[in-house]
Amino acid sequence: MSARILVAEDDGKQSRLIRIYLEREGYAVQVVADGRTALERARSTGLDLIVLDVMLPLVDGLDICRILRAEASEVPILLLTARSTEEDMLLGLDLGADDYLTKPYSPRELTARVRALLRRSRKGGAAGSEVLRVGAVELDTARFEVRVAGRPVALTSKEFSILEALARKPGRVFTRAQIIECAFGFDSDVLERTVDAHVRNLRRKLGDDPARPRHLETVYGRGYRLLDSSAPTRALPGS
């Protein structure tokens, strides 16, 4: 079954171009032109990904991110923005977006980002069931589930990908570039500047204190690592 993608873009020329390129990839695409309709579709329709313009009429893209994440929606969100400052971009990630593209962008880059998000999303996960346990952190890679000391934690697809990469080699220090390579499979200067924002969100959701980390540690001048002295154990769910 082809992935179902919602495109929320009020520029008719841009939305048509996005539809053409995504449909060429075999995706089922819906297009809406305002934020209120986008929010209704996101709530009522099973989606695999949302391509979301920030500057939408009625409800803007940042508010849609905030609302969907507050409602525990896990659908991956790719933001499209004309705002080029790093602060504006990081704000979108802090509100729960998985990735962003700044305008103008190439359709080929957009489709590459979409493929990467779908590949690492809940519905694009591996068919085999595997559980990684590192200290109190437990990841079910097939079910896209995370628990900390038995408490369920809702992560975005990129947050999950980063945590999975770190959990597969606990104790190892990953640079930002290595996190991008392991978690997302393609290189990007923009993404490298946003790793810190994803890690900050991960810490908050895991209940970690950066001053006294129990799970995610910053190694200054190097990168990040998941704290544990031994390799993660692997087991089938329910074992």
Side-chain angles (χ1 to χ4, degrees):
M1 184 177 179
S2 61
R4 295 157 294 184
I5 299 176
L6 176 67
V7 176
E9 168 64 77
D10 64 329
D11 184 312
K13 181 178 180 181
Q14 286 292 319
S15 63
R16 286 192 295 272
L17 187 63
I18 294 171
R19 180 195 284 272
I20 288 170
Y21 273 83
L22 293 182
E23 288 183 342
R24 284 179 182 173
E25 295 288 318
Y27 304 130
V29 181
Q30 304 177 50
V31 176
V32 298
D34 67 81
R36 184 176 298 164
T37 305
L39 192 54
E40 291 172 355
R41 295 284 181 89
R43 285 167 163 168
S44 63
T45 308
L47 297 171
D48 297 293
L49 185 138
I50 301 174
V51 178
L52 183 63
D53 186 38
V54 169
M55 301 298 291
L56 287 171
L58 302 182
V59 183
D60 71 32
L62 296 179
D63 282 336
I64 291 173
C65 282
R66 183 186 296 110
I67 293 167
L68 290 177
R69 295 312 185 218
E71 295 173 350
S73 171
E74 297 174 350
V75 61
I77 297 174
L78 172 62
L79 280 182
L80 306 178
T81 177
R83 300 171 177 174
S84 59
T85 68
E86 187 168 354
E87 290 75 16
D88 287 329
M89 298 172 188
L90 295 180
L91 175 60
L93 297 175
D94 283 339
L95 293 175
D98 295 273
D99 199 1
Y100 62 82
L101 275 176
T102 55
K103 298 179 179 180
Y105 54 83
S106 74
R108 291 177 63 186
E109 184 176 9
L110 182 140
T111 55
R113 298 290 184 90
V114 166
R115 281 196 301 270
L117 283 173
L118 289 172
R119 186 168 58 245
R120 306 302 300 189
S121 71
R122 182 174 187 175
K123 294 180 175 61
S129 188
E130 181 182 24
V131 174
L132 303 176
R133 296 188 181 99
V134 183
V137 179
E138 180 179 297
L139 296 85
D140 187 320
T141 61
R143 297 182 179 181
F144 197 75
E145 294 175 350
V146 175
R147 294 180 181 274
V148 178
R151 172 179 62 89
V153 177
L155 301 182
T156 68
S157 63
K158 287 218 167 178
E159 291 163 0
F160 189 93
S161 296
I162 290 173
L163 188 59
E164 180 183 348
L166 298 177
R168 289 189 179 280
K169 295 187 177 180
R172 169 184 166 177
V173 178
F174 284 77
T175 66
R176 291 167 180 82
Q178 288 170 333
I179 289 174
I180 292 167
E181 181 181 356
C182 293
F184 312 122
F186 64 93
D187 195 10
S188 168
D189 291 337
V190 173
L191 274 172
E192 187 163 345
R193 296 200 306 271
T194 69
V195 170
D196 292 344
H198 285 301
V199 170
R200 184 168 62 247
N201 289 338
L202 263 174
R203 279 201 174 111
R204 174 174 52 81
K205 294 180 178 182
L206 296 177
D208 215 357
D209 180 358
R212 294 181 177 180
R214 294 173 298 153
H215 309 303
L216 270 172
E217 181 181 47
T218 300
V219 181
Y220 291 99
R222 293 286 297 165
Y224 301 101
R225 66 181 165 196
L226 195 61
L227 291 173
D228 194 70
S229 59
S230 60
T233 60
R234 294 171 171 80
L236 294 177
S239 62

